[in-house]
Amino acid sequence: MKRKIFLKLSSGLIAAPFFSPLESWSYQEKLKNWAGNLTYSTNNVYYPKSVGEVQDIVKKCSRLRALGTRHCFNNIADSKDNLISSRDMNKVLSLDANAHSVTVEAGIKYGELCPYLDEKGFALHNLASLPHISVAGSCTTATHGSGVRNGNLATAVNALEFVTADGNMVNLSREKDGEHFLAAVVGLGALGVITKVALDIQPKYMMRQIVYENLPMSQLKENFEQIVSAGYSVSLFTDWQQESINEVWIKSRVDNDTNYQGIAEFFGAKAATKDMHPIASLSAENCTEQMGIPGPWYERLPHFKMGFTPSSGKELQSEYFIPRHNAVDAILAIARLGKQIGPHLFISEIRTIDADNFWMSPCRKQPSVTIHFTWKQDWQAVSQLLPVIEKELSAFNARPHWGKLFTMSATTLASRYEKLQEFKNMIAMYDPKGKFRNEFLNKTIYATV
């Protein structure tokens, strides 16, 4: 691929753009999401710097949606009336070493939090492939990393604070609030504006990363569990054009995982001889270091290096969660669509995530495998492909990523979320007049028949 194309794509895969501080409502042009495929429906954007300011803004607005780092590809965070951004609420508030917990403001990005934790001797259990996403936004949409024993990012939440529609504060904790807590953590922005989050932390650890190329699909059929369990976090990348997985990324903890360094073959795949990009033809200069070189957890768990703040790139993303016991059948179902998918795809990634109990999590009560699609930015073509993919995955009751593109109806989603009605009851309790309702929630949560 030409370098110009690489720069556009690779920069888009790394981080969301930053903006200089501006006063509330000062944008003359409407904001876009990081990939540029979505223009938000209002330029009325508030940037509070304190919880008190959040309360005041919520009280005076009749309609409002919370905005994180604008990494979502759909309109889950959009509003036609008012947006409230957590951008300027990005501090670490406290670290309790004895309780193994850190409390942060909602807008802090993992790329900001992780070096701080590491310096204090601590780590998080998991990270997404991109470091420049906010803690609150990631957790409320059930964003995830990988690992057969690793839950999504929300599973680290042990307490949260949010402002409800009447401007009051609600504090919920895992220890004290049971089902209400499980309803609120993956809350889709529907219950209120998150202001603080407390996360579980653990002693810091070192990791290494090994990449293998061209894993035969036959090996995946026969040895899926062994392959995805080969490291602390494992990712499979494919373009669905061959009878193989293009790349296998094995991220291992130095302290207790198998060390594949020096092992030339992995289930028929060959060890890479240089650092790789998920798209093999692209330069790996912005990817996290590989070749078995040990490094801090936060410099190995993501696929892309922290510290980059480039302009956004043009792409679209979709992702579907499938029960892990259906993984191979689901992967083969998508592989049969390879010729249809290929012309519109940059790359697909296959990962595993452990089960959780959050009401609206795609991993609720099921260890899952995800099939992710990074598309070329052609919504007309992608919008025609998604129903085909969703039909192929319907036999496995696939659940879409809340922050990415999908076409499933509210009725279909309701059939796959047993707590949906109870979740709507919770929304009614905290937001009886629908202050935080928007087009996305109306279409995906409320438009059931």
Side-chain angles (χ1 to χ4, degrees), residues 90-95 102-105 108 112-113 116-117:
N90 58 2
K91 297 185 292 295
V92 176
L93 298 173
S94 65
L95 191 153
V102 63
T103 301
V104 299
E105 291 184 313
I108 195 169
E112 299 164 340
L113 173 61
Y116 169 86
L117 288 177

Side-chain angles (χ1 to χ4, degrees), residues 148-420:
V148 294
R149 294 180 297 276
N150 299 329
N152 61 33
L153 303 186
T155 59
V157 177
N158 62 66
L160 77 162
E161 173 188 274
F162 59 95
V163 176
T164 60
D166 57 8
N168 290 328
M169 301 300 308
V170 171
N171 288 276
L172 300 175
S173 73
R174 181 195 297 149
E175 181 180 358
K176 298 178 180 178
D177 295 294
E179 290 296 309
H180 272 215
F181 173 79
L182 296 176
V185 175
V186 181
L188 313 182
L191 302 181
V193 179
I194 300 171
T195 49
K196 298 176 186 177
V197 181
L199 303 172
D200 295 337
I201 53 178
Q202 59 183 270
K204 69 178 184 179
Y205 49 92
M206 298 285 283
M207 299 191 73
R208 56 168 57 92
Q209 187 167 212
I210 302 285
V211 175
Y212 289 89
E213 297 185 83
N214 300 316
L215 176 78
M217 194 68 76
S218 59
Q219 290 287 348
L220 197 66
K221 296 176 193 176
E222 297 169 10
N223 300 292
F224 178 80
E225 284 296 326
Q226 295 94 314
I227 289 167
V228 297
S229 302
Y232 184 79
S233 172
V234 176
S235 290
L236 313 177
F237 293 98
T238 181
D239 58 8
W240 309 105
Q241 299 307 295
Q242 307 293 332
E243 288 293 319
S244 62
I245 298 295
N246 302 31
E247 299 175 22
V248 181
W249 289 36
I250 302 174
K251 302 169 187 280
S252 301
R253 286 179 60 142
V254 170
D255 53 6
N256 59 14
D257 282 349
T258 300
N259 178 11
Y260 284 91
Q261 193 165 16
I263 299 176
E265 187 170 320
F266 175 80
F267 290 96
K270 305 298 182 184
T273 57
K274 61 180 181 179
D275 283 355
M276 301 291 294
H277 190 284
I279 303 172
S281 60
L282 303 187
S283 168
E285 63 178 314
N286 291 332
C287 296
T288 47
E289 198 163 10
Q290 301 155 32
M291 305 303 295
I293 298 172
W297 56 281
Y298 68 93
E299 293 182 353
R300 295 297 181 272
L301 279 172
H303 298 331
F304 298 94
K305 293 176 182 177
M306 298 183 182
F308 287 83
T309 56
S311 60
S312 58
K314 291 184 176 181
E315 65 184 76
L316 303 175
Q317 292 187 15
S318 301
E319 187 171 36
Y320 299 94
F321 295 70
I322 295 105
R324 200 161 81 225
H325 63 266
N326 295 130
V328 172
D329 288 338
I331 291 167
L332 295 178
I334 299 303
R336 289 192 290 269
L337 300 176
K339 290 184 179 179
Q340 289 177 258
I341 291 171
H344 309 288
L345 185 74
F346 284 124
I347 201 70
S348 272
E349 182 178 10
I350 299 166
R351 287 178 284 181
T352 57
I353 309 97
D354 204 1
D356 61 59
N357 290 313
F358 300 123
W359 288 10
M360 298 305 293
S361 169
C363 297
R364 176 175 166 78
K365 294 189 176 180
Q366 65 176 37
S368 299
V369 63
T370 63
I371 304 177
H372 180 278
F373 302 88
T374 299
W375 302 104
K376 298 172 185 177
Q377 201 173 85
D378 181 355
W379 174 238
Q380 183 176 357
V382 172
S383 66
Q384 293 173 1
L385 282 170
L386 294 183
V388 177
I389 290 170
E390 290 167 5
K391 182 179 179 181
E392 287 296 316
L393 297 178
S394 62
F396 315 113
N397 291 318
R399 299 167 177 168
H401 190 303
W402 288 112
K404 301 181 192 282
L405 297 167
F406 60 91
T407 61
M408 286 183 192
S409 69
T411 301
T412 298
L413 290 169
S415 71
R416 297 174 189 179
Y417 284 91
E418 62 180 18
K419 288 282 194 177
L420 179 60

Side-chain angles (χ1 to χ4, degrees), residues 41 45 241 248 268 278 433:
S41 300
V45 188
Q241 299 307 295
V248 181
K433 295 182 180 179

Side-chain angles (χ1 to χ4, degrees), residues 31 40 42 44-46 48 54 57-58 63-72 74-79 82-87 106-107 134 136-137 140-141 162-163 187-195 435-438 441:
L31 291 177
Y40 293 96
T42 181
N44 298 334
V45 188
Y46 291 95
V54 174
I57 293 165
V58 170
R63 294 278 182 173
L64 188 70
R65 284 295 284 178
L67 193 64
T69 46
R70 307 196 311 278
H71 184 261
C72 292
N74 58 34
N75 61 348
I76 187 172
D78 195 20
S79 171
N82 301 285
L83 295 168
I84 182 168
S85 170
S86 61
R87 183 195 66 186
S134 69
T140 202
T141 55
F162 59 95
V163 176
L188 313 182
L191 302 181
V193 179
I194 300 171
T195 49
K435 178 174 288 191
F436 302 117
R437 289 267 292 267
N438 68 349
L441 293 178

